[in-house]
Amino acid sequence: MDALSAFLERFKPLADVFMDSYFVVDAERNIVDFNRTFFSMLPRQVARGLKGKKCYEVLELEICKERCIAEQCWRDKRHVRLDEINGRIATVENPVRFILSAIPILDEAGTPVGALELTFTPDGDPK
């Protein structure tokens, strides 16, 4: 079993305690897992087929090109939190402010294989 699959297997029993939305990406930034809260904040056409989509195709954030939070946590191999990030959800016109937090998922050699990202919208439902 690869390190990302092992993480997901260990994480799933804990996932229900997260009230904020979260998603998990692999090293190529493909969404491989998410909770119901994340799914429900997305428009139906975006939420369908969510697994396998790139995170930046779903959340179009101002940081994605220059300061990707997943890449920051992989580079530093530590938790990263970013407050007051502007962006929008794909297909939704209204801008949204996010609070983001990410932690790297590492294999036994310390190589990043994914990231767990939590998202919070302080202004409420972004749709």
Side-chain angles (χ1 to χ4, degrees):
M1 177 182 302
D2 67 36
L4 184 57
S5 297
F7 169 83
L8 290 172
E9 187 175 298
R10 289 188 316 271
F11 178 71
K12 274 300 192 187
L14 306 172
D16 290 338
V17 302
F18 285 88
M19 294 173 31
D20 292 337
S21 66
Y22 78 80
F23 61 97
V24 177
V25 295
D26 64 15
E28 286 78 42
R29 296 170 56 193
N30 298 305
I31 295 173
V32 297
D33 194 39
F34 53 88
N35 67 352
R36 188 92 187 131
T37 307
F38 184 71
F39 181 87
S40 66
M41 75 180 228
L42 305 172
R44 183 168 287 156
Q45 67 271 24
V46 175
R48 285 190 186 129
L50 191 54
K51 284 188 180 178
K53 287 183 180 176
K54 301 286 187 187
C55 54
Y56 52 80
E57 295 173 334
V58 176
L59 298 179
E60 300 168 358
L61 307 175
E62 68 183 8
I63 63 162
C64 288
K65 291 181 181 166
E66 296 85 29
R67 298 182 350 209
C68 168
I69 192 169
E71 290 178 2
Q72 287 183 53
C73 79
W74 293 332
R75 180 189 64 236
D76 300 338
K77 294 187 180 176
R78 66 171 185 82
H79 167 257
V80 175
R81 178 182 162 136
L82 302 174
D83 293 340
E84 304 299 320
I85 302 302
N86 294 314
R88 64 183 201 88
I89 295 172
T91 77
V92 177
E93 292 298 318
N94 299 336
V96 180
R97 286 182 312 130
F98 291 91
I99 297 172
L100 306 170
S101 187
I103 190 164
I105 302 167
L106 308 173
D107 67 11
E108 289 182 14
T111 304
V113 295
L116 170 64
E117 299 188 36
L118 281 79
T119 62
F120 176 73
T121 52
D123 299 330
D125 187 0
K127 290 191 280 186

